[in-house]
Amino acid sequence: MTASPSEASKEQRKVTLYRNGSVYTAADPFATAMLVDGDTVAWVGSEQAATSIADSSMEVIDLQGALLAPGFVDSHVHLTETGIALDSLQLGGVRSAAELLDAVAGAAVSASGAGGTVLGHGWDETLWADPVLPSREELDRAAGGRPVYLSRVDVHSALVSASLAATSGLESLDGYAADGQVKRAAHTAARRAARNLPAGALRRYQEAALAEAAANGYVALAEMAAPHIGSIEDLQLAAGWNAADRPGHAVPEILPYWGQLAGSAEQARSILDSLGVSVLGLAGDLNMDGSIGSRTAALRGDYSDAPGERGTRYLSVDEAAAHLAACSVLGIQAGFHVIGDAGLDAALDALDQAAAEVGEQRVRAAGHRLEHVEIADADAIQRLAKYSVTVSAQPVFDALWGGGESLYAQRLGARHAAMNPFGSFYSAGVPVCFGSDSPVTPLRPWSSVRACLEHHNADERISARAAFLGHTRAGWRAARYRNPMAGQLVPGAPASFAVWEVEELMVQVADGRVQSWSTDPRARTPLLPALDTGTDPVCLQTVRDGVELFSNGSLGR
């Protein structure tokens, strides 16, 4: 007799029991085992109970004391840029113009037959003893005449060779200066020229980025595509990784956004229809301003190390308001890249204007989001809360560039102390999710959680639990994900998780006054890895919807 479709499906469905570890779950803070049935969490509980339900039909995986926790969601990445950065010159360790030129010369020699553009990423002149940048002509000589594009660590400016500047027509564009650095429109044109790659190359770079993410416990990535970053083809390739019939290895889910300005609901609909793929909104890196490092973030006052400079506003309040109103009418997410306080002022004024046009409730219901929001005072935070705007922040920005002798201190003086106000966001009820902005900072989620705990401003620190939720469940919510149970490990939730080798599990809070209660077993607080050991937990396995994305081969079976 032939089995019915439902019976056949049941026979093919994989059932896996994970046991002898620690499971991070709200269902049972002391759980040591979890049962996965197909793509769903079927049960969590104790080791004793696991012994009673285990049978020969299951695959049984011995966690050997490892932590099994919800998989990470990176709320702001650039796939192709990440892949290119992984495969190009790594300039984060360069400490002078001479070292940078030596690196370019070495790359040109090692790939002398390629003839293409010399690509590099990550230089930061604020770490150099002498911050003078190399000229375009020096870059030309070092590269033997090959075009050169070297993105600054924040990817809001770059060093380019004279040959690339000439072929890309940069000389007539805003942001072209006498030295080798290009900003604003000149940088956009230079990046487009350097990223003018065939589909096969784009796919390889994206695949490398996805493999890197899976190896670090990510089950989903919010791709922040935009016309000034990459082509529609680049977006289509990124969204295409979600196709059920896509050949090859399973990868993290892509949560795609497209940052293109719309002046009306009709124009927004036309943009969406033209993309050829579904996106979650016209949001993400639709730039209201630039970055602190490149001095293009829009500030209320001058940069401390560049009197007279206040950055760049790329959108007017009227343009941003029309965009917000259009997306609100369609019920889709809008949003902007916002870093400086003047940039945030414009975004908030635009929210007020959009609410006056289409109604506050419509604006709130659309679930708009702002990326970065590094400088926000108490009044701005209250206005964000009023409109239920999600802040998508990058904690490692503070870890790398916060503190008294930091890049932010150089650029902003005393204003740097109030940056990245995570604690204030949480206190005011502003929804917050976290990401890396890769390739700006690496795909290292536990380093990002640690940065929340160790914020340079003690008043803005949050607990490890709050930070972990901001890197997991909040990422799904910020994207208005179709399954409200995503990001937690309870019966009925998607089986999307990572397994970690950890040195110690504990409760870590930002406020010592609640430490004793939080660590008391009666508080039933799930435990997370100790992050003060100097090393991050090691990812042993990553699983999305019951399908393995990554394994280092060390889990016992």
Side-chain angles (χ1 to χ4, degrees), residues 95 168 236 238 252 298 316 332 356 361 433 440 496 523 531 538:
R95 291 297 178 267
S168 305
Q236 291 170 342
S316 69
I332 63 169
Q361 184 53 39
C433 60
V440 177
S496 296
L531 297 174
V538 175

Side-chain angles (χ1 to χ4, degrees), residues 164-439:
L164 182 67
T167 58
S168 305
L170 305 187
E171 294 89 343
S172 62
L173 299 178
D174 176 50
Y176 183 87
D179 62 13
Q181 188 175 15
V182 290
K183 301 179 182 181
R184 299 185 293 277
H187 177 241
T188 295
R191 176 157 60 178
R192 283 174 173 165
R195 301 291 193 263
N196 186 19
L197 301 167
L202 294 175
R203 187 177 294 107
R204 287 192 297 275
Y205 283 131
Q206 290 188 5
E207 190 166 23
L210 290 164
E212 176 77 2
N216 285 281
Y218 290 98
V219 295
L221 308 168
E223 166 67 2
M224 294 300 171
H228 68 280
I229 296 175
S231 63
I232 289 180
E233 180 185 42
D234 195 59
L235 167 69
Q236 291 170 342
L237 286 170
W241 294 102
N242 290 336
D245 58 351
R246 187 194 60 78
H249 299 295
V251 297
E253 183 164 356
I254 302 301
L255 308 171
Y257 288 88
W258 181 247
Q260 184 172 347
L261 189 68
S264 66
E266 293 74 20
Q267 187 180 5
R269 175 53 61 196
S270 177
I271 292 170
L272 294 170
D273 291 343
S274 72
L275 296 178
V277 292
S278 295
V279 296
L280 296 172
L282 299 177
D285 270 344
L286 175 50
N287 284 11
M288 179 65 74
D289 66 353
S291 74
I292 300 293
S294 293
R295 296 194 193 90
T296 50
L299 303 181
R300 295 173 181 168
D302 292 356
Y303 280 88
S304 297
D305 57 354
E309 286 192 35
R310 294 194 175 189
T312 305
R313 270 256 312 276
Y314 295 112
L315 298 174
S316 69
V317 171
D318 287 347
E319 287 173 321
H323 183 76
L324 287 162
C327 292
S328 298
V329 167
L330 294 181
I332 63 169
Q333 289 179 293
F336 308 101
H337 163 115
V338 178
I339 285 186
D341 47 8
L344 182 57
D345 289 342
L348 293 169
D349 288 346
L351 281 162
D352 289 339
Q353 195 167 308
E357 180 181 341
V358 302
E360 183 178 323
Q361 184 53 39
R362 242 180 185 170
V363 171
R364 289 172 57 89
H368 302 311
R369 54 189 292 159
L370 295 179
E371 309 301 312
H372 314 308
V373 193
E374 291 202 77
I375 309 176
D377 60 20
D379 178 67
I381 291 171
Q382 288 300 323
R383 293 171 73 188
L384 287 168
K386 173 183 177 181
Y387 291 114
S388 297
V389 174
T390 294
V391 168
S392 169
Q394 292 68 44
V396 177
F397 285 10
D398 178 75
L400 291 177
W401 302 309
E405 303 298 325
S406 67
L407 161 68
Y408 290 158
Q410 292 178 40
R411 295 285 193 265
L412 302 176
R415 290 170 291 179
H416 83 278
M419 291 183 67
N420 296 295
F422 306 145
S424 296
F425 287 146
Y426 275 82
S427 296
V430 175
V432 182
C433 60
F434 294 119
S436 64
D437 197 12
S438 179

Side-chain angles (χ1 to χ4, degrees), residues 16-21 23 27-28 30-35 42-55 58 60 491:
T16 305
L17 177 64
Y18 292 81
R19 61 184 302 181
N20 188 32
V23 180
D28 180 355
F30 309 115
T32 60
M34 184 175 84
L35 186 69
W43 168 86
V44 292
S46 68
E47 188 62 25
Q48 182 178 3
T51 299
S52 68
I53 66 173
D55 64 42
M58 302 174 182
V60 179

